[in-house]
Structures are given as C-alpha cells and as structure tokens.
Amino acid sequence: MDAADQVLVVGQVARDLVLRVDEVPGEREAVPARQRLEMLGGKGANQAVALAQLGVPVALLGVVGDDAVADDLLARARDDGIDVSPVVRRAGTRTGLIVSLLDSGGRWRYVEDLPGPVLLTEDDVLLAARPARCTVAQLQQPSAAVLAAVRQATGLVVVDGAPPDDGRRDAILAAAHVLRADAREAGMLTGAELADPETAVRAARDVQRTHDLAMVAFGYDGGDVFAWRGGSLVATHGDAEVVDTTGAGDALTAGLTAELVRGSDPQQAAELGVAAAAATVGHAGGRPRLTHLRRKETTRRGTR
Ligand SMILES: Nc1ncnc2c1ncn2[C@@H]1O[C@H](COP(=O)(O)OP(=O)(O)O)[C@@H](O)[C@H]1O
Ligand SMILES: [Mg+2]
C-alpha cells in the first residue's frame, strides 16, 4: 500500500485493561471483576482500528516501549490491518498502560501509566514524515509534536481534542481542516458550557468560521453537533443502553474521517461519525466494533 493513499493516525498506543465491577470498591474493600478485557488501546490505536474496520487504509504513528507488551500490541495492530511501520519503539521505556474500572452505571475511572517517553516528540514526527491522504492528530500528545504533524501533513488534517492554550493553538488550528472535541474539550476551547444543542451549534459555528476550518464537531450534554461551511447537524443520543462511552469519540472521529477521505459530503461524514459513536457505547472498552458500518464497495462497470 502506498503511504500516500493511507490515513496516518498520530497518537497514543497503549495496553488497555478494562475491569467491570458492580461498584467501585471503597477503602479496604475488594470486589470481584465481572469482566476483564485486555486489548490494544490508546486513542491512536483505537482510531486506527476503527478506520481499518471501516475499510480505510491506515498507518499509525505512536510510541511503544521495548518490552514484550509492545511486541504483542504491534502484532495485534498488524492483525487489525494497520500499517505499524511508523510506530516508534523507544529503548528503555515501558509501553503505556491504561486501567479502566467500569461500574454497572457506565461510570469509568482510568488509572494511566503513560510515562513521558511514550509520548511523541517533535523529532519522532519529523523522522516519520511521509505523504498521507489524511492525517488525524490527537491533541493529547505534546503540542510541539502535534504542530509538526499537522504542518508536514500533505492531505486532509483532522484534529481531535482540545488544543492547549500554550502559544501553538492558533498554528495547530490554522493547519487543521476538521476539529472534533468532546463536551469537556469544547468547553475548554470555547470557554463556554455547551449545555444544549443551540449553544453547541453556535460555538461550533464560531470556531469553524474564526479558524477557517472546513468542519467542527462538538459533543454536548446529550449529543453531538456538527458545523461546516453551509450546514450543520444536531444528533441527539438515542436511548440504547450505555455500557461505556470510552472510545466513542475516537470512533466518531474515525467515522467522520472515513467518509471525508472518500470524498463524501460533510452531512454523510457526520452521519457515519454519529453511527460509529453509537456503536461504541454499547460495549465495554474503547476498542471499536464497526465492521457492520463498512460501506459495501459498489463495483463500477464501464457503461457504453
Ligand atoms: N448514549 C450515547 N449514545 C451515543 N453516543 C454517546 C452516548 N453517550 C455519549 N456518547 C458520545 O460519546 C462520545 C465520547 O467522546 P469522547 O469523550 O471524546 O470519548 P473518547 O475520547 O473516549 O473516545 C461523544 O461523542 C458523545 O456524544
Ligand atoms: Mg475523545
């Protein structure tokens, strides 16, 4: 696969350990795990898995350590159809670990072991420079690395998260075409609480216009909104059971991206994003399950 045809996801790779409990134990209490899941995780890997499941050629740029966990995670990513050749294996570093305690009410608590060396540096990004049809960068990575990634991008640029206000924010937004933020991140970015769809659409529209982004997607309390040049869409959450929201935003970002790289319009992109998020909240863990949303390729036959 030619790198120029791939989506390059720039973000975190980690081992995910999800423990489902009826209730999180208090001090000096022990509870049994009702379910235990150990998966390839981290937001970067989850987005890359989602794109692969949606039929989009994808490569991943993130950092793992030089331990056996890294071997296992990279093998799993390859099995998922992800090109892991850009992944950095950092000597003397342990691969990141995210433990999620998930209770029966869908409330999660994460304990993260993400030592500094498992974050991307500007040099990591510069050394991995390659053409890509689209770059998806996670704003949870250090902003110098994110800025390098979006500056060297050759195609569509999608960013996910809240850009920290550290002097690089405007440059990152200026290089991005699409921004996606959950409710908390959108609040950090806009300084407003997005409590209802009207406020959320207005905030997304303001950011879209002010930063000349092609599309902005914000979560709000109760749904997700999308604003693009010439249109907007409000999606309210359905009433299906929510087991775990972890990874739903990553699935949403991947769904959006999958349609945009196919040349679909923003409305179709938003719709696939919403469907991908909804398909992710029904199960524990951030690993997406989106193969049912993969578009059937229509065979084109020449017509005379
Ligand atoms: N009941 C629900 N149905 C569908 N989507 C939901 C529901 N509850 C939350 N979501 C969506 O889950 C997503 C969570 O996003 P985010 O916090 O970025 O997750 P992560 O970073 O773990 O992927 C949001 O887009 C939110 O709208
Ligand atoms: Mg998110």
Side-chain angles (χ1 to χ4, degrees), residues 43 110 140 160 180-182 185 219-220 223-224 237-238 240 242 245-252 274 277-278 281:
K43 316 181 76 54
Y110 304 150
Q140 293 81 1
D160 172 38
R180 193 265 153 187
D182 68 22
E185 294 159 342
Y220 72 95
D224 290 279
H237 296 153
V242 176
T245 60
T246 303
D250 297 325
L252 186 149
V274 168
V281 298

PDB file of all heavy atoms in Angstrom, residues 43 110 140 160 180-182 185 219-220 223-224 237-238 240 242 245-252 274 277-278 281, ligand 1:
ATOM      1  N   LYS A  43      -5.815   6.092  22.341  1.00  0.00           N
ATOM      2  CA  LYS A  43      -6.703   6.750  21.380  1.00  0.00           C
ATOM      3  C   LYS A  43      -6.236   6.593  19.937  1.00  0.00           C
ATOM      4  O   LYS A  43      -7.050   6.467  19.035  1.00  0.00           O
ATOM      5  CB  LYS A  43      -6.823   8.240  21.691  1.00  0.00           C
ATOM      6  CG  LYS A  43      -7.014   8.524  23.170  1.00  0.00           C
ATOM      7  CD  LYS A  43      -7.164   9.983  23.441  1.00  0.00           C
ATOM      8  CE  LYS A  43      -8.538  10.418  23.044  1.00  0.00           C
ATOM      9  NZ  LYS A  43      -9.576   9.603  23.699  1.00  0.00           N
ATOM     10  N   TYR A 110     -10.186   5.926  35.041  1.00  0.00           N
ATOM     11  CA  TYR A 110      -8.953   5.428  34.426  1.00  0.00           C
ATOM     12  C   TYR A 110      -7.775   5.640  35.372  1.00  0.00           C
ATOM     13  O   TYR A 110      -7.663   6.686  36.002  1.00  0.00           O
ATOM     14  CB  TYR A 110      -8.620   6.194  33.140  1.00  0.00           C
ATOM     15  CG  TYR A 110      -9.685   6.222  32.059  1.00  0.00           C
ATOM     16  CD1 TYR A 110      -9.777   7.321  31.209  1.00  0.00           C
ATOM     17  CD2 TYR A 110     -10.564   5.166  31.863  1.00  0.00           C
ATOM     18  CE1 TYR A 110     -10.720   7.368  30.193  1.00  0.00           C
ATOM     19  CE2 TYR A 110     -11.519   5.208  30.856  1.00  0.00           C
ATOM     20  CZ  TYR A 110     -11.599   6.321  30.026  1.00  0.00           C
ATOM     21  OH  TYR A 110     -12.541   6.372  29.034  1.00  0.00           O
ATOM     22  N   GLN A 140      -4.008  15.282  22.612  1.00  0.00           N
ATOM     23  CA  GLN A 140      -3.497  14.853  23.924  1.00  0.00           C
ATOM     24  C   GLN A 140      -1.988  14.637  23.864  1.00  0.00           C
ATOM     25  O   GLN A 140      -1.341  14.479  24.900  1.00  0.00           O
ATOM     26  CB  GLN A 140      -4.159  13.542  24.371  1.00  0.00           C
ATOM     27  CG  GLN A 140      -5.645  13.654  24.681  1.00  0.00           C
ATOM     28  CD  GLN A 140      -6.521  13.601  23.435  1.00  0.00           C
ATOM     29  OE1 GLN A 140      -6.044  13.467  22.313  1.00  0.00           O
ATOM     30  NE2 GLN A 140      -7.816  13.734  23.640  1.00  0.00           N
ATOM     31  N   ASP A 160      -8.266  15.994  16.971  1.00  0.00           N
ATOM     32  CA  ASP A 160      -9.251  15.532  17.953  1.00  0.00           C
ATOM     33  C   ASP A 160      -8.788  15.895  19.351  1.00  0.00           C
ATOM     34  O   ASP A 160      -7.699  15.512  19.759  1.00  0.00           O
ATOM     35  CB  ASP A 160      -9.402  14.003  17.824  1.00  0.00           C
ATOM     36  CG  ASP A 160     -10.267  13.410  18.925  1.00  0.00           C
ATOM     37  OD1 ASP A 160     -11.262  14.036  19.306  1.00  0.00           O
ATOM     38  OD2 ASP A 160      -9.939  12.311  19.406  1.00  0.00           O
ATOM     39  N   ARG A 180     -12.527  18.032  16.100  1.00  0.00           N
ATOM     40  CA  ARG A 180     -13.550  17.326  16.857  1.00  0.00           C
ATOM     41  C   ARG A 180     -13.175  17.399  18.331  1.00  0.00           C
ATOM     42  O   ARG A 180     -12.016  17.169  18.691  1.00  0.00           O
ATOM     43  CB  ARG A 180     -13.606  15.873  16.388  1.00  0.00           C
ATOM     44  CG  ARG A 180     -14.805  15.134  16.861  1.00  0.00           C
ATOM     45  CD  ARG A 180     -14.495  14.379  18.117  1.00  0.00           C
ATOM     46  NE  ARG A 180     -15.693  14.190  18.907  1.00  0.00           N
ATOM     47  CZ  ARG A 180     -15.676  13.678  20.117  1.00  0.00           C
ATOM     48  NH1 ARG A 180     -14.543  13.305  20.645  1.00  0.00           N
ATOM     49  NH2 ARG A 180     -16.778  13.553  20.788  1.00  0.00           N
ATOM     50  N   ALA A 181     -14.129  17.753  19.176  1.00  0.00           N
ATOM     51  CA  ALA A 181     -13.864  17.841  20.611  1.00  0.00           C
ATOM     52  C   ALA A 181     -15.073  17.330  21.364  1.00  0.00           C
ATOM     53  O   ALA A 181     -16.208  17.593  20.951  1.00  0.00           O
ATOM     54  CB  ALA A 181     -13.573  19.291  21.004  1.00  0.00           C
ATOM     55  N   ASP A 182     -14.840  16.609  22.455  1.00  0.00           N
ATOM     56  CA  ASP A 182     -15.985  16.190  23.271  1.00  0.00           C
ATOM     57  C   ASP A 182     -16.459  17.402  24.078  1.00  0.00           C
ATOM     58  O   ASP A 182     -15.885  18.498  24.003  1.00  0.00           O
ATOM     59  CB  ASP A 182     -15.654  14.957  24.120  1.00  0.00           C
ATOM     60  CG  ASP A 182     -14.632  15.215  25.229  1.00  0.00           C
ATOM     61  OD1 ASP A 182     -14.458  16.376  25.646  1.00  0.00           O
ATOM     62  OD2 ASP A 182     -14.009  14.244  25.680  1.00  0.00           O
ATOM     63  N   GLU A 185     -13.819  19.067  26.288  1.00  0.00           N
ATOM     64  CA  GLU A 185     -12.762  19.705  25.490  1.00  0.00           C
ATOM     65  C   GLU A 185     -13.294  20.943  24.772  1.00  0.00           C
ATOM     66  O   GLU A 185     -12.605  21.967  24.680  1.00  0.00           O
ATOM     67  CB  GLU A 185     -12.224  18.696  24.468  1.00  0.00           C
ATOM     68  CG  GLU A 185     -11.508  17.516  25.130  1.00  0.00           C
ATOM     69  CD  GLU A 185     -11.417  16.286  24.244  1.00  0.00           C
ATOM     70  OE1 GLU A 185     -12.178  16.175  23.248  1.00  0.00           O
ATOM     71  OE2 GLU A 185     -10.602  15.403  24.552  1.00  0.00           O
ATOM     72  N   GLY A 219     -19.094  17.637  21.030  1.00  0.00           N
ATOM     73  CA  GLY A 219     -20.045  16.929  21.876  1.00  0.00           C
ATOM     74  C   GLY A 219     -20.733  17.943  22.768  1.00  0.00           C
ATOM     75  O   GLY A 219     -20.181  19.003  23.068  1.00  0.00           O
ATOM     76  N   TYR A 220     -21.948  17.659  23.176  1.00  0.00           N
ATOM     77  CA  TYR A 220     -22.605  18.477  24.198  1.00  0.00           C
ATOM     78  C   TYR A 220     -23.360  17.516  25.100  1.00  0.00           C
ATOM     79  O   TYR A 220     -23.420  16.314  24.819  1.00  0.00           O
ATOM     80  CB  TYR A 220     -23.531  19.528  23.578  1.00  0.00           C
ATOM     81  CG  TYR A 220     -24.803  18.967  22.985  1.00  0.00           C
ATOM     82  CD1 TYR A 220     -25.987  18.943  23.726  1.00  0.00           C
ATOM     83  CD2 TYR A 220     -24.825  18.435  21.700  1.00  0.00           C
ATOM     84  CE1 TYR A 220     -27.155  18.420  23.194  1.00  0.00           C
ATOM     85  CE2 TYR A 220     -25.986  17.906  21.174  1.00  0.00           C
ATOM     86  CZ  TYR A 220     -27.144  17.897  21.923  1.00  0.00           C
ATOM     87  OH  TYR A 220     -28.285  17.363  21.408  1.00  0.00           O
ATOM     88  N   GLY A 223     -25.667  14.887  23.202  1.00  0.00           N
ATOM     89  CA  GLY A 223     -25.481  14.563  21.790  1.00  0.00           C
ATOM     90  C   GLY A 223     -24.215  15.138  21.199  1.00  0.00           C
ATOM     91  O   GLY A 223     -23.266  15.464  21.919  1.00  0.00           O
ATOM     92  N   ASP A 224     -24.206  15.224  19.903  1.00  0.00           N
ATOM     93  CA  ASP A 224     -23.066  15.780  19.177  1.00  0.00           C
ATOM     94  C   ASP A 224     -23.597  16.735  18.118  1.00  0.00           C
ATOM     95  O   ASP A 224     -24.636  16.465  17.505  1.00  0.00           O
ATOM     96  CB  ASP A 224     -22.270  14.653  18.488  1.00  0.00           C
ATOM     97  CG  ASP A 224     -21.531  13.796  19.496  1.00  0.00           C
ATOM     98  OD1 ASP A 224     -20.457  14.212  19.941  1.00  0.00           O
ATOM     99  OD2 ASP A 224     -22.050  12.716  19.853  1.00  0.00           O
ATOM    100  N   HIS A 237     -28.430  11.776  21.367  1.00  0.00           N
ATOM    101  CA  HIS A 237     -28.197  10.371  21.703  1.00  0.00           C
ATOM    102  C   HIS A 237     -29.502   9.594  21.741  1.00  0.00           C
ATOM    103  O   HIS A 237     -30.499  10.086  22.251  1.00  0.00           O
ATOM    104  CB  HIS A 237     -27.541  10.237  23.077  1.00  0.00           C
ATOM    105  CG  HIS A 237     -26.177  10.841  23.136  1.00  0.00           C
ATOM    106  ND1 HIS A 237     -25.623  11.322  24.289  1.00  0.00           N
ATOM    107  CD2 HIS A 237     -25.244  11.032  22.182  1.00  0.00           C
ATOM    108  CE1 HIS A 237     -24.422  11.782  24.042  1.00  0.00           C
ATOM    109  NE2 HIS A 237     -24.164  11.621  22.764  1.00  0.00           N
ATOM    110  N   GLY A 238     -29.454   8.376  21.231  1.00  0.00           N
ATOM    111  CA  GLY A 238     -30.616   7.504  21.308  1.00  0.00           C
ATOM    112  C   GLY A 238     -30.787   6.991  22.736  1.00  0.00           C
ATOM    113  O   GLY A 238     -30.013   7.355  23.626  1.00  0.00           O
ATOM    114  N   ALA A 240     -30.570   3.794  23.658  1.00  0.00           N
ATOM    115  CA  ALA A 240     -29.961   2.471  23.856  1.00  0.00           C
ATOM    116  C   ALA A 240     -29.060   2.511  25.100  1.00  0.00           C
ATOM    117  O   ALA A 240     -28.562   3.574  25.481  1.00  0.00           O
ATOM    118  CB  ALA A 240     -29.148   2.081  22.627  1.00  0.00           C
ATOM    119  N   VAL A 242     -26.122   2.549  27.601  1.00  0.00           N
ATOM    120  CA  VAL A 242     -24.718   2.943  27.514  1.00  0.00           C
ATOM    121  C   VAL A 242     -23.918   2.124  28.526  1.00  0.00           C
ATOM    122  O   VAL A 242     -24.107   2.248  29.725  1.00  0.00           O
ATOM    123  CB  VAL A 242     -24.544   4.453  27.800  1.00  0.00           C
ATOM    124  CG1 VAL A 242     -23.071   4.832  27.812  1.00  0.00           C
ATOM    125  CG2 VAL A 242     -25.287   5.267  26.765  1.00  0.00           C
ATOM    126  N   THR A 245     -18.716   4.857  27.562  1.00  0.00           N
ATOM    127  CA  THR A 245     -18.518   5.839  26.476  1.00  0.00           C
ATOM    128  C   THR A 245     -17.074   5.855  25.968  1.00  0.00           C
ATOM    129  O   THR A 245     -16.779   6.506  24.969  1.00  0.00           O
ATOM    130  CB  THR A 245     -18.874   7.272  26.928  1.00  0.00           C
ATOM    131  OG1 THR A 245     -18.028   7.623  28.023  1.00  0.00           O
ATOM    132  CG2 THR A 245     -20.333   7.400  27.317  1.00  0.00           C
ATOM    133  N   THR A 246     -16.190   5.144  26.652  1.00  0.00           N
ATOM    134  CA  THR A 246     -14.781   5.143  26.251  1.00  0.00           C
ATOM    135  C   THR A 246     -14.639   4.796  24.767  1.00  0.00           C
ATOM    136  O   THR A 246     -15.196   3.788  24.311  1.00  0.00           O
ATOM    137  CB  THR A 246     -13.986   4.107  27.076  1.00  0.00           C
ATOM    138  OG1 THR A 246     -14.137   4.414  28.441  1.00  0.00           O
ATOM    139  CG2 THR A 246     -12.515   4.111  26.697  1.00  0.00           C
ATOM    140  N   GLY A 247     -13.901   5.604  24.050  1.00  0.00           N
ATOM    141  CA  GLY A 247     -13.618   5.305  22.648  1.00  0.00           C
ATOM    142  C   GLY A 247     -14.698   5.763  21.679  1.00  0.00           C
ATOM    143  O   GLY A 247     -14.494   5.717  20.471  1.00  0.00           O
ATOM    144  N   ALA A 248     -15.834   6.227  22.207  1.00  0.00           N
ATOM    145  CA  ALA A 248     -16.906   6.635  21.296  1.00  0.00           C
ATOM    146  C   ALA A 248     -16.507   7.879  20.496  1.00  0.00           C
ATOM    147  O   ALA A 248     -16.839   8.011  19.316  1.00  0.00           O
ATOM    148  CB  ALA A 248     -18.203   6.888  22.065  1.00  0.00           C
ATOM    149  N   GLY A 249     -15.776   8.770  21.147  1.00  0.00           N
ATOM    150  CA  GLY A 249     -15.301   9.955  20.436  1.00  0.00           C
ATOM    151  C   GLY A 249     -14.268   9.576  19.380  1.00  0.00           C
ATOM    152  O   GLY A 249     -14.232  10.154  18.286  1.00  0.00           O
ATOM    153  N   ASP A 250     -13.457   8.604  19.701  1.00  0.00           N
ATOM    154  CA  ASP A 250     -12.460   8.152  18.721  1.00  0.00           C
ATOM    155  C   ASP A 250     -13.148   7.491  17.527  1.00  0.00           C
ATOM    156  O   ASP A 250     -12.751   7.690  16.379  1.00  0.00           O
ATOM    157  CB  ASP A 250     -11.476   7.185  19.389  1.00  0.00           C
ATOM    158  CG  ASP A 250     -10.685   7.881  20.495  1.00  0.00           C
ATOM    159  OD1 ASP A 250     -10.376   9.071  20.332  1.00  0.00           O
ATOM    160  OD2 ASP A 250     -10.410   7.241  21.527  1.00  0.00           O
ATOM    161  N   ALA A 251     -14.198   6.729  17.806  1.00  0.00           N
ATOM    162  CA  ALA A 251     -14.961   6.110  16.715  1.00  0.00           C
ATOM    163  C   ALA A 251     -15.653   7.186  15.877  1.00  0.00           C
ATOM    164  O   ALA A 251     -15.698   7.102  14.646  1.00  0.00           O
ATOM    165  CB  ALA A 251     -15.988   5.137  17.287  1.00  0.00           C
ATOM    166  N   LEU A 252     -16.166   8.217  16.567  1.00  0.00           N
ATOM    167  CA  LEU A 252     -16.821   9.312  15.842  1.00  0.00           C
ATOM    168  C   LEU A 252     -15.820   9.990  14.896  1.00  0.00           C
ATOM    169  O   LEU A 252     -16.110  10.216  13.709  1.00  0.00           O
ATOM    170  CB  LEU A 252     -17.396  10.312  16.845  1.00  0.00           C
ATOM    171  CG  LEU A 252     -18.236  11.452  16.285  1.00  0.00           C
ATOM    172  CD1 LEU A 252     -19.318  11.866  17.296  1.00  0.00           C
ATOM    173  CD2 LEU A 252     -17.413  12.677  15.935  1.00  0.00           C
ATOM    174  N   VAL A 274     -21.632   9.736  13.840  1.00  0.00           N
ATOM    175  CA  VAL A 274     -22.645   9.500  14.877  1.00  0.00           C
ATOM    176  C   VAL A 274     -22.946   8.007  15.001  1.00  0.00           C
ATOM    177  O   VAL A 274     -23.032   7.459  16.113  1.00  0.00           O
ATOM    178  CB  VAL A 274     -23.935  10.290  14.546  1.00  0.00           C
ATOM    179  CG1 VAL A 274     -25.093   9.847  15.436  1.00  0.00           C
ATOM    180  CG2 VAL A 274     -23.692  11.784  14.688  1.00  0.00           C
ATOM    181  N   ALA A 277     -20.056   6.304  16.806  1.00  0.00           N
ATOM    182  CA  ALA A 277     -20.058   6.567  18.255  1.00  0.00           C
ATOM    183  C   ALA A 277     -21.138   5.728  18.927  1.00  0.00           C
ATOM    184  O   ALA A 277     -20.897   5.084  19.954  1.00  0.00           O
ATOM    185  CB  ALA A 277     -20.278   8.059  18.525  1.00  0.00           C
ATOM    186  N   ALA A 278     -22.326   5.703  18.334  1.00  0.00           N
ATOM    187  CA  ALA A 278     -23.436   4.952  18.935  1.00  0.00           C
ATOM    188  C   ALA A 278     -23.109   3.461  19.014  1.00  0.00           C
ATOM    189  O   ALA A 278     -23.509   2.776  19.948  1.00  0.00           O
ATOM    190  CB  ALA A 278     -24.716   5.185  18.134  1.00  0.00           C
ATOM    191  N   VAL A 281     -20.685   2.821  22.307  1.00  0.00           N
ATOM    192  CA  VAL A 281     -21.063   2.990  23.718  1.00  0.00           C
ATOM    193  C   VAL A 281     -21.745   1.750  24.306  1.00  0.00           C
ATOM    194  O   VAL A 281     -21.900   1.640  25.507  1.00  0.00           O
ATOM    195  CB  VAL A 281     -21.974   4.231  23.947  1.00  0.00           C
ATOM    196  CG1 VAL A 281     -21.249   5.507  23.557  1.00  0.00           C
ATOM    197  CG2 VAL A 281     -23.301   4.100  23.204  1.00  0.00           C
TER     198      VAL A 281
HETATM  199  N1  LIG B   1     -25.813   7.416  24.729  1.00  0.00           N
HETATM  200  C1  LIG B   1     -24.927   7.731  23.792  1.00  0.00           C
HETATM  201  N2  LIG B   1     -25.145   7.390  22.508  1.00  0.00           N
HETATM  202  C2  LIG B   1     -24.254   7.728  21.555  1.00  0.00           C
HETATM  203  N3  LIG B   1     -23.128   8.428  21.785  1.00  0.00           N
HETATM  204  C3  LIG B   1     -22.877   8.800  23.035  1.00  0.00           C
HETATM  205  C4  LIG B   1     -23.737   8.469  24.102  1.00  0.00           C
HETATM  206  N4  LIG B   1     -23.212   8.976  25.238  1.00  0.00           N
HETATM  207  C5  LIG B   1     -22.060   9.596  24.887  1.00  0.00           C
HETATM  208  N5  LIG B   1     -21.871   9.481  23.559  1.00  0.00           N
HETATM  209  C6  LIG B   1     -20.780  10.045  22.765  1.00  0.00           C
HETATM  210  O1  LIG B   1     -19.557   9.508  23.196  1.00  0.00           O
HETATM  211  C7  LIG B   1     -18.521  10.364  22.759  1.00  0.00           C
HETATM  212  C8  LIG B   1     -17.465  10.430  23.834  1.00  0.00           C
HETATM  213  O2  LIG B   1     -16.425  11.192  23.304  1.00  0.00           O
HETATM  214  P1  LIG B   1     -15.010  11.316  23.977  1.00  0.00           P
HETATM  215  O3  LIG B   1     -15.165  11.852  25.361  1.00  0.00           O
HETATM  216  O4  LIG B   1     -14.141  12.045  23.037  1.00  0.00           O
HETATM  217  O5  LIG B   1     -14.590   9.767  24.073  1.00  0.00           O
HETATM  218  P2  LIG B   1     -13.154   9.108  23.851  1.00  0.00           P
HETATM  219  O6  LIG B   1     -12.130  10.194  23.872  1.00  0.00           O
HETATM  220  O7  LIG B   1     -13.040   8.119  24.962  1.00  0.00           O
HETATM  221  O8  LIG B   1     -13.241   8.428  22.505  1.00  0.00           O
HETATM  222  C9  LIG B   1     -19.171  11.698  22.446  1.00  0.00           C
HETATM  223  O9  LIG B   1     -19.152  11.923  21.054  1.00  0.00           O
HETATM  224  C10 LIG B   1     -20.576  11.527  22.982  1.00  0.00           C
HETATM  225  O10 LIG B   1     -21.502  12.316  22.281  1.00  0.00           O
END
